[in-house]
Amino acid sequence: MLEAPAPAASVAPRAPEGRRGPVGGPRAGRFLVLAVVFVCAACGLVYELVLVALAAHVIGDSVTQASVVLAVLVSAMGAGSLLAKRLRCRAAVGFALLEALLALLGGCSALALYACFAWLGGAQSALVGFSIGVGVLIGAEIPLLMTLIQRVSRRAEQDAGGTVADLFAADYVGALVGGLAFPFLLLPWLGQVTSALVTGAVNAVAGAALVLWLFGRELTGRERLLTLAANAAVVGVLATATVLVDDFERAARQAVYGDEVRVAVRSEVQEIVLTGPRDGPPGLFLDGRLRVSGRAEHRYHPALVHPALRGAHGRVLILGGGDGLAAREALRYADVEAVTVVDVDPEVVRLARTDPALARLNGHAYRDPRVRVVHDDAFRWLRGAVGEARGTYDVIVADLPDPGVTTSSRLYSEEFYGLAARALAGGGRLVVHAGSLRDRPHTYWTVEATLRAAGFATRPYGTDDGRSGFVLAAPARHGGARPPVLGLAPGAPSRGVPAPGALAAGAARAERSRVPGLPPSTLVHPRYGD
């Protein structure tokens, strides 16, 4: 995408003596150059979005990764514009070779980033490197395209302002199309890796076609051969990679998740991977992060759910929890009348219903007629259901992705907890999974501070190993409510629930890690980060 200032008006470089000018009339040539500007701008923005999306997926913290990519890439564009000055005397062949290199680098960027993540354990250095490379090459397009469009326009000297306006109009419209095509067309149909490869091929073909069609007669035989060979080689590499992308993704998943990957699907929301044998404990990964460990979840979900059910618990709302494991714990109480599960991803719920290992782990919770499933974003649903759900639920269980994931920070905001409070019945309780007490105490205590700011009295606690931290909360009344009592309901199951001593130890462990004086997190000022 062209974002550097346009160069000052100048006389277009003359074609070398003895060679014929561009093929076609000025008007047709001008249109063709602008069409290629449009295509290149769309491709350039797709490269940027691929880098941002994949970096957020494999590194985390999408705000930071987007800032890194855009800052590095835009600054590199300025450097590229300066470096391209030396190519203006041979603008046609220079542009063709530049587009071939850009197509190769941008097209292979997602492949290389995912490979670094899978086999080297990190992708931050590769992200910065590709951002610099792609930025330099996109920036170098600017002076070369200006030179080419001047060559095909008879009015270049008299109407430099109009030429610049046309060039940048085509660029910005192309960027718009690329920006919309990536999330709504390329990503859902092709995925990140294939989207980048296909975009690279389009980029290479457009650059070569422009040069060979309009300026082929200006080039020497050697230059024509070099242009054709370089772009054909790039398209060949990208096409081969596209054919092999499924094999690459399988190998990369095995490197990340191990040899027992049974299910790997890309839903409209996230990448979902199930590992483990069909007759053994499964592992559930969402966007590369372990969400459920079949061997260890017995520590997590009972500790999350059962303390919240001390008191009235006829109507239970589970936010997240599409895996059915929180619902499994709530359904162990005969006097639970209804469980509503609000999860944004239907594919997770489908797997929880149908996958033998995962369905066995959740006790076939979705077969229970007391369970109702709503497929919606938890924040949007709570906000839209305020009238219908006001005072409806005795217990709300927030079984959501870690607050350190930037995309989840809104589900740990003061505004979100305010909506949750309005859905609670009198005497109701909210329990929140607040991240790791051991590894991220700052994030954990920010959740607790945010709940207090939203008007809750809180009782922090966690699992005995400190891996998972929870906050039990109840709406404070008249400003003087005591924290909710941490314990079990009189009718709690006798097996598979945390012992009162373990809950007390978890609460004591939490208090020892307290980080005082933290401000709450809000929608306009999120305070979580990986």
Side-chain angles (χ1 to χ4, degrees), residues 179-274:
L180 295 177
F182 178 70
F184 296 114
L185 182 64
L186 296 175
L187 189 59
W189 286 10
L190 302 177
Q192 292 168 337
V193 175
T194 305
S195 291
L197 293 169
V198 170
T199 301
V202 171
N203 199 166
V205 169
L210 172 68
V211 171
L212 293 174
W213 180 260
L214 275 187
F215 304 100
R217 295 180 182 178
E218 290 187 17
L219 305 180
T220 65
R222 184 177 181 180
E223 288 173 339
R224 285 195 295 272
L225 181 61
L226 179 61
T227 296
L228 187 60
N231 284 276
V234 168
V235 172
V237 169
L238 296 174
T240 302
T242 302
V243 171
L244 299 176
V245 74
D246 289 340
D247 294 333
F248 166 80
E249 290 185 356
R250 279 193 294 270
R253 288 193 188 102
Q254 287 182 352
V256 174
Y257 305 114
D259 295 332
E260 294 186 328
V261 175
R262 288 193 296 105
V263 178
V265 295
R266 177 79 203 185
S267 71
E268 294 184 0
V269 179
Q270 60 203 333
E271 182 184 58
I272 306 167
V273 174
L274 270 176

Side-chain angles (χ1 to χ4, degrees), residues 198-483:
V198 170
T199 301
V202 171
N203 199 166
V205 169
L210 172 68
V211 171
L212 293 174
W213 180 260
L214 275 187
F215 304 100
R217 295 180 182 178
E218 290 187 17
L219 305 180
T220 65
R222 184 177 181 180
E223 288 173 339
R224 285 195 295 272
L225 181 61
L226 179 61
T227 296
L228 187 60
N231 284 276
V234 168
V235 172
V237 169
L238 296 174
T240 302
T242 302
V243 171
L244 299 176
V245 74
D246 289 340
D247 294 333
F248 166 80
E249 290 185 356
R250 279 193 294 270
R253 288 193 188 102
Q254 287 182 352
V256 174
Y257 305 114
D259 295 332
E260 294 186 328
V261 175
R262 288 193 296 105
V263 178
V265 295
R266 177 79 203 185
S267 71
E268 294 184 0
V269 179
Q270 60 203 333
E271 182 184 58
I272 306 167
V273 174
L274 270 176
T275 64
R278 292 173 64 88
D279 57 352
L284 174 63
F285 293 81
L286 303 181
D287 274 346
R289 294 176 174 84
L290 181 63
R291 189 74 177 92
V292 173
S293 171
R295 293 183 174 86
E297 71 82 24
H298 65 279
R299 293 176 178 269
Y300 172 86
H301 288 96
L304 171 68
V305 175
H306 290 283
L309 271 65
R310 187 181 189 274
H313 51 251
R315 296 157 297 177
V316 178
L317 172 64
I318 299 173
L319 303 175
D323 50 52
L325 298 171
R328 175 198 67 192
E329 296 301 319
L331 293 170
R332 296 177 68 185
Y333 293 78
D335 51 349
V336 167
E337 300 167 3
V339 175
T340 302
V341 178
V342 179
D343 193 282
V344 70
D345 196 344
E347 189 64 26
V348 173
V349 175
R350 186 191 69 79
L351 286 172
R353 292 179 188 270
T354 60
D355 182 78
L358 190 55
R360 184 167 51 251
L361 188 66
N362 66 37
H364 300 280
Y366 288 113
R367 294 180 182 176
D368 195 303
R370 293 176 289 174
V371 176
R372 178 173 75 100
V373 179
V374 177
H375 293 304
D376 202 350
D377 172 76
F379 194 108
R380 183 171 56 238
W381 183 83
L382 272 180
R383 186 178 184 184
V386 163
E388 174 189 346
R390 182 184 293 273
T392 297
Y393 297 100
D394 302 303
V395 176
I396 298 178
V397 179
D399 186 18
L400 298 162
D402 284 350
V405 180
T406 306
T407 52
S408 301
S409 62
R410 60 198 287 272
L411 304 179
Y412 291 83
S413 65
E414 185 178 340
E415 293 86 345
F416 180 76
Y417 294 136
L419 293 174
R422 297 169 74 175
L424 280 172
R429 290 179 162 205
L430 165 69
V431 65
V432 177
H433 161 237
S436 174
L437 269 169
R438 184 182 66 184
D439 300 328
R440 290 187 296 177
H442 188 279
T443 295
Y444 175 87
W445 288 107
T446 298
V447 175
E448 193 267 347
T450 303
L451 280 162
R452 286 189 286 106
F456 285 89
T458 62
R459 176 72 70 181
Y461 71 104
T463 55
D464 54 5
D465 60 0
R467 290 179 180 273
S468 298
F470 314 105
V471 181
L472 183 62
R477 306 298 182 191
H478 309 296
R482 299 175 61 185

Side-chain angles (χ1 to χ4, degrees), residues 97-120:
L97 297 179
L98 181 145
E99 291 305 300
L101 184 57
L102 176 58
L104 182 64
L105 195 64
C108 293
S109 59
L111 197 74
L113 280 180
Y114 198 58
C116 290
F117 167 70
W119 283 285
L120 301 180

